[in-house]
Amino acid sequence: MTTDTVGEARWPDSRWTTVVVLAGLAATWEILVRLGPLPSFYFPPPSAVAGSLVELTRGGELLEHGGTTLVRIGAGLLVGASTGFLAGVAMGRSERLRVVADPVVGALYPLPKIAILPLVMIFLGIGESSKHVVIALAAFFPMLISTLAGVRQIPDIYFEVAENYGADRRALLRRVVLPASLPAVLGGLRIALNSVIHVTIAVEIVSAVRGLGALIWLSWEVLRVERLYAALVLIALLGIAATWGVEWMSRRFVPWRT
């Protein structure tokens, strides 16, 4: 059996393992609440959380809040990851650009993106534009750094051979840079996805009336703890889906990487 076949065979098993582990944790939680060790007010049983999910779905709130969060995540990831990828390729291929831009990246990357939100709101207002910019920044820097690392680790001999065969800049990007740096790019995409989810929820808690983050804050204000947990469960499921999606892309587009 080849490496690819082994990888494909293990892929369904890993998903089922995740499902079994989560189901076991939920069952243990339910039992501990029913028997009394865990107070139900602070730790509502999974059955109550599931009931809240059903209630939110029937009332349309789940679609409203969840859809708003997904739109923000998608828009921020698309803009931030694509610009970060292009900037990483440019810095990886240009030593002068890297020397000039690297200190700027080193200074801006550690800044908490939620801390930049008030400044962005001064320029763009309190609407969706400011939220999208901050969320895009959360994706931009991980993708830039991962792409830069992926491009810089490509041996020079690859470029020399391609140029000897008459490859121009576009062909070098398509035939050498992109395939050789793709593992690092996909790793950066996974980090960017998680960063975008974190920042999106934080932005919604601070400055939004719709979204899963806003639902968490509203549930806290009215002490609907089971709804708060329901929103957290949705965010966790979103993170699992994002991880599985990147893993599928890695197996699909980087088959030579075990």
Side-chain angles (χ1 to χ4, degrees), residues 228-241:
L228 191 154
Y229 275 89
L232 294 177
V233 168
L234 290 173
I235 296 169
L237 293 176
L238 184 61
I240 293 174

Side-chain angles (χ1 to χ4, degrees), residues 231-252:
L232 294 177
V233 168
L234 290 173
I235 296 169
L237 293 176
L238 184 61
I240 293 174
T243 299
W244 283 355
V246 175
E247 287 180 352
W248 176 86
M249 292 175 64
S250 180
R251 295 174 185 273
R252 173 66 177 81

Side-chain angles (χ1 to χ4, degrees), residues 198-228:
H198 295 164
V199 173
T200 300
I201 300 303
V203 166
E204 291 176 345
I205 290 176
V206 172
S207 65
V209 295
R210 289 189 303 274
L212 294 178
L215 178 61
I216 290 174
W217 188 255
L218 178 61
S219 301
W220 174 83
E221 288 183 324
V222 298
L223 294 180
R224 295 290 302 273
V225 182
E226 68 281 357
R227 285 198 170 199
L228 191 154

Side-chain angles (χ1 to χ4, degrees), residues 63-256:
L63 179 61
E64 178 184 5
H65 292 292
T68 301
T69 297
L70 286 176
V71 169
R72 289 171 178 152
I73 289 174
L77 183 66
L78 178 62
V79 175
S82 58
T83 54
F85 170 76
L86 295 176
V89 171
M91 291 176 62
R93 294 292 293 143
S94 174
E95 186 70 18
R96 292 182 179 180
L97 179 60
R98 187 184 66 82
V99 170
V100 172
D102 198 49
V104 179
V105 174
L108 296 180
Y109 184 32
L111 292 178
K113 304 306 172 287
I114 191 65
I116 305 175
L117 179 60
L119 179 62
V120 176
M121 291 172 65
I122 293 176
F123 294 98
L124 300 179
I126 60 176
E128 288 296 309
S129 298
S130 57
K131 298 178 180 62
H132 289 166
V133 168
V134 173
I135 295 169
L137 288 174
F140 174 80
F141 289 103
M143 184 59 73
L144 183 153
I145 293 173
S146 298
T147 304
L148 172 61
V151 173
R152 285 180 57 80
Q153 58 85 32
I154 302 174
D156 292 336
I157 188 64
Y158 290 5
F159 296 101
E160 295 174 2
V161 171
E163 290 171 353
N164 288 336
Y165 278 95
D168 55 11
R169 290 185 177 181
R170 183 175 300 179
L172 285 175
L173 177 63
R174 187 176 67 255
R175 299 291 187 180
V176 178
V177 175
L178 186 57
S181 63
L182 195 54
V185 170
L186 290 176
L189 179 62
R190 181 170 181 173
I191 299 173
L193 259 172
N194 284 277
S195 298
V196 163
I197 294 174
H198 295 164
V199 173
T200 300
I201 300 303
V203 166
E204 291 176 345
I205 290 176
V206 172
S207 65
V209 295
R210 289 189 303 274
L212 294 178
L215 178 61
I216 290 174
W217 188 255
L218 178 61
S219 301
W220 174 83
E221 288 183 324
V222 298
L223 294 180
R224 295 290 302 273
V225 182
E226 68 281 357
R227 285 198 170 199
L228 191 154
Y229 275 89
L232 294 177
V233 168
L234 290 173
I235 296 169
L237 293 176
L238 184 61
I240 293 174
T243 299
W244 283 355
V246 175
E247 287 180 352
W248 176 86
M249 292 175 64
S250 180
R251 295 174 185 273
R252 173 66 177 81
F253 298 110
V254 194
W256 60 87

